[in-house]
Amino acid sequence: MGTPSDALEVLAENYEFIESIGPCLGFRRAASVLKSLPAPLRNINDIEGLPCLGPETKAVIQDIFECGSSSKVEEVLTDERYRTLKIFTSVFGVGPKTAEKWYRRGLRSLEQIVSDSSIHLNKMQIAGFQYYEDISKPVSKAEAEAVGHIIKEIAGCFSPDVTMTLTGGFRRGKEFGHDVDFLLTVPRPGKEDGLLPAVIDQLRIQGLLLYSDFQESTFDLSRLPNRRFEAMDHFQKCFLIVKLKKEQVVGQQAEQRCGRDWKAVRVDLVAPPAERYAFALLGWSGSTQFERDLRRYSRLERNMLLDNHALFDKTTCFFCNKVIHQRRIPMARCDSTASAMLTANQD
DNA sequence: TGGCAATACTG
DNA sequence: CAGTAT
DNA sequence: GCCA
């Protein structure tokens, strides 16, 4: 669409495709700032005083106000290379490098890719093509909740006191997403270890598991400036594609005769130790741009290192653990607080 | 003019 | 290590 | 591309 932030995102994506990371980030931040505004821009003067909006982004926004579109953006949108890379990178497992490689070989469509026997796809890309129709469609909130019921049911069998939280875009209030993210925790320390393998096994047994990539991620504290805690923390996650039966989705009729009664959905599950829940929640709530800016702010402005597990103070060489005594803060207030200094937590 | 989030897995 | 994922 |  023709909103200024969409236009800036197009330019950001184009710079990503030509592997020009700087301008890409510049346009991404600018787009995020516009989305963080309480009300849409009325005219070009409204950008006065906003961060991350310099001469280049201003010109684009001005063009949109004056002409209804920006010629630079329109040019990108009609560019064959941009259009092709956009299609290629829309496949799960295909990034800018692979897309570029295919483009250079003269390939222009997904049909050409799948029918080219000299192309060797990895496991992720095979799943990406196999379920492309489904997983490239947006996931509705109702679908996300239906997936939630399935996972919660299974996880509850493993451990009745499991808690499950919908994160990602849906936690930020979005009505649609490209995947569904859940955080799972059990109060008993160490008990979370077997959780995801058990969930994955059960999904497989029920015939609902279409793709699974399980990751045992180890958080190595000894790598930090502080070598006093030699502890290793871990933190499991998995990237899945699951079969969601349409009858499980509230307010949706299984359409008979023509076609399947299910849809493939991308699902990410994360199982941190209860003690790490706050950091995991922060890290998995997004948006991508918000997470980047938060980490950059931690490091550059506060001399701290933030990741999905912890916040480390480089000045005192201590981990900041106060925040694990969680307070319930509405997302909206988190966002506005943070976006006062950072760019926004919107997509 | 340098720097742009940070980390884990696959092949 | 390069590439993709989050 | 924007900023420190």
Side-chain angles (χ1 to χ4, degrees), chain A residues 77-223:
Chain A
L77 287 173
T78 56
D79 182 53
E80 183 179 28
R81 178 192 153 86
Y82 170 82
R83 293 162 67 103
T84 307
L85 295 205
K86 185 146 179 71
I87 291 167
F88 288 171
T89 56
S90 73
V91 178
F92 179 57
V94 179
K97 304 290 185 180
T98 306
E100 169 70 32
K101 194 170 69 189
W102 293 345
Y103 184 81
R104 279 199 314 256
R105 289 169 61 164
L107 299 161
R108 294 294 182 268
S109 71
L110 297 182
E111 290 71 24
Q112 290 175 317
I113 305 295
V114 289
S115 60
D116 187 324
S117 59
S118 68
I119 287 180
H120 292 296
L121 302 173
N122 65 29
K123 180 186 150 184
M124 204 183 291
Q125 292 161 344
I126 289 169
F129 276 106
Q130 195 163 6
Y131 305 108
Y132 182 79
E133 288 272 333
D134 280 357
I135 65 183
S136 58
K137 280 184 232 163
V139 182
S140 71
K141 201 170 184 180
E143 289 169 332
E145 280 158 7
V147 172
H149 292 318
I150 294 169
I151 306 290
K152 182 70 190 290
E153 172 75 16
I154 296 174
C157 293
F158 174 82
S159 178
D161 50 8
V162 68
T163 64
M164 208 177 79
T165 310
L166 183 59
T167 63
F170 291 109
R171 181 164 187 267
R172 304 197 303 277
K174 296 182 69 175
E175 286 299 317
F176 295 93
H178 95 283
D179 67 359
V180 193
D181 306 306
F182 293 103
L183 230 63
L184 297 157
T185 52
V186 287
R188 172 130 166 21
K191 184 79 187 327
E192 74 276 359
D193 275 19
L195 180 55
L196 294 189
V199 170
I200 293 169
D201 276 348
Q202 189 56 35
L203 285 169
R204 187 180 293 112
I205 289 165
Q206 293 184 17
L208 302 179
L209 190 67
L210 301 173
Y211 169 87
S212 164
D213 173 15
F214 177 79
Q215 299 190 358
E216 182 90 51
S217 89
T218 56
F219 170 46
D220 190 353
L221 302 167
S222 60
R223 237 179 329 163

Side-chain angles (χ1 to χ4, degrees), chain A residues 8-40:
Chain A
L8 297 173
E9 292 279 13
V10 168
L11 296 177
E13 195 173 30
N14 190 50
Y15 278 110
E16 185 169 59
F17 290 159
I18 64 179
E19 296 173 72
S20 194
I21 299 310
C24 171
L25 277 169
F27 283 115
R28 285 251 147 82
R29 292 206 190 101
S32 281
V33 166
L34 295 188
K35 284 186 197 159
S36 77
L37 299 176

Side-chain angles (χ1 to χ4, degrees), chain A residues 45-106:
Chain A
N45 302 318
D46 286 352
I47 71 167
E48 178 76 34
L50 295 177
C52 308
L53 295 172
E56 208 64 32
T57 52
K58 179 177 178 176
V60 172
I61 297 165
Q62 192 155 20
D63 284 349
I64 291 170
F65 277 121
E66 288 173 3
C67 319
S69 67
S70 150
S71 55
K72 278 185 189 167
V73 175
E74 295 306 309
E75 203 177 306
V76 170
L77 287 173
T78 56
D79 182 53
E80 183 179 28
R81 178 192 153 86
Y82 170 82
R83 293 162 67 103
T84 307
L85 295 205
K86 185 146 179 71
I87 291 167
F88 288 171
T89 56
S90 73
V91 178
F92 179 57
V94 179
K97 304 290 185 180
T98 306
E100 169 70 32
K101 194 170 69 189
W102 293 345
Y103 184 81
R104 279 199 314 256
R105 289 169 61 164

